[in-house]
Amino acid sequence: MNDWVDKNALINDSIRYLKIVDFNSALEQIIGITADYQLKPTRFNELLHISDALYQTCVTAIVEAGDYQFEHQFTNENGVKKILEITLSIIKNENLYYGFFAVIRDLTIQKIYEAELEFFANNDPLTGLRNRRYYFSFLDKVFENVTQLGYICMFDLDHFKNINDTYGHDMGDEVLRKISEVAKSHFIPYAEICRYGGEEFLIYLSLSDTDLVIQLLDSFRQRISEIEFIPEGQSPFGITVSIGIASCKNASQLNLVISKADKALYQSKNNGRNRVTVYEG
């Protein structure tokens, strides 16, 4: 057989037993074996760690339709995780079945690349939080459900500009990453969090109890105030957050709820910062 770069072939002598007759060197690379590895007595499904249920699906499909394609994840002999596209085609002459032919493509790098593209399309690269593009799409779906209760909360890092001016933007980035890390751990599984822009963040809380929402956000505010940042060669410093809350109940427009959360946030700032305010109006 030809040693294809991205396609690999096995011929099996029986639909029932799937014993391998031959293979090429490209398959050796994918599986993580050498040319002298005693592979031929091995069954196809054992080689690629295919479950009994999936194996039965494969056999049924190729007998009925003549071919079957699926993606499969497995860990090879070197401990490397792989994502494969496997295409099975039956070999027969009229009604006589001889076995089947498998073409295997290693999709691992392609899938990693696609996952990275998806991540950067939907997430803020600095903090890993959702970006505005994803977030507004998510909130639009939330608002399609007229019975959906919940809260939109906006928080802002107090005097963040002073941190950038005093300690530099690298330290400012470290602060943003740390605050985001704490937010993710604090609000899961209640929330979807977004870096709204700069040092402003949006949180959608799928909760209906106002007192619980206030308690959850106030404990977050307290956690942030207890963090100590230590810049190299300088004295430690801390930071606080101001938070505004607006209810989604009976709201017909997303922008109005965000505007209410923003007004509550600035009320927190005007009242001395480092506090939680619920929009009332």
Side-chain angles (χ1 to χ4, degrees), residues 171-230:
M171 177 55 70
D173 288 349
E174 182 179 331
V175 170
L176 289 169
R177 283 191 291 266
K178 181 62 178 180
I179 300 301
S180 300
E181 177 186 317
V182 173
K184 283 187 284 189
S185 67
H186 187 83
F187 292 109
I188 290 174
Y190 309 106
E192 189 76 49
I193 310 169
C194 160
R195 185 183 179 194
Y196 192 56
E199 67 271 25
E200 283 191 337
F201 299 79
L202 275 179
I203 305 172
Y204 171 75
L205 288 172
S206 55
L207 297 170
S208 58
D209 187 324
T210 304
D211 291 337
L212 179 59
V213 169
I214 294 172
Q215 179 182 347
L216 188 63
L217 285 160
D218 198 54
S219 61
F220 170 68
R221 178 197 62 78
Q222 182 65 31
R223 283 185 66 180
I224 297 301
S225 69
E226 294 171 355
I227 299 173
E228 187 176 70
F229 295 94
I230 306 175

Side-chain angles (χ1 to χ4, degrees), residues 48-51 54 58 68-74 82-88 103-108 110-112 114:
L48 297 175
H49 309 161
I50 294 174
S51 68
L54 179 55
C58 294
Y68 184 65
Q69 185 178 86
F70 62 100
E71 289 186 6
H72 177 61
Q73 298 186 37
F74 89 118
K82 294 285 187 178
I83 303 174
L84 308 178
E85 178 190 80
I86 303 175
T87 303
L88 306 175
V103 176
I104 303 172
R105 297 180 59 223
D106 187 349
L107 301 182
T108 309
Q110 175 185 328
K111 291 295 183 180
I112 291 173
E114 290 174 355

Side-chain angles (χ1 to χ4, degrees), residues 69-101:
Q69 185 178 86
F70 62 100
E71 289 186 6
H72 177 61
Q73 298 186 37
F74 89 118
T75 302
N76 72 9
E77 296 294 322
N78 296 325
V80 179
K81 293 182 178 180
K82 294 285 187 178
I83 303 174
L84 308 178
E85 178 190 80
I86 303 175
T87 303
L88 306 175
S89 300
I90 203 162
I91 302 173
K92 68 175 183 177
N93 183 9
E94 295 182 350
N95 293 324
L96 183 61
Y97 294 88
Y98 293 100
F100 70 91
F101 186 83

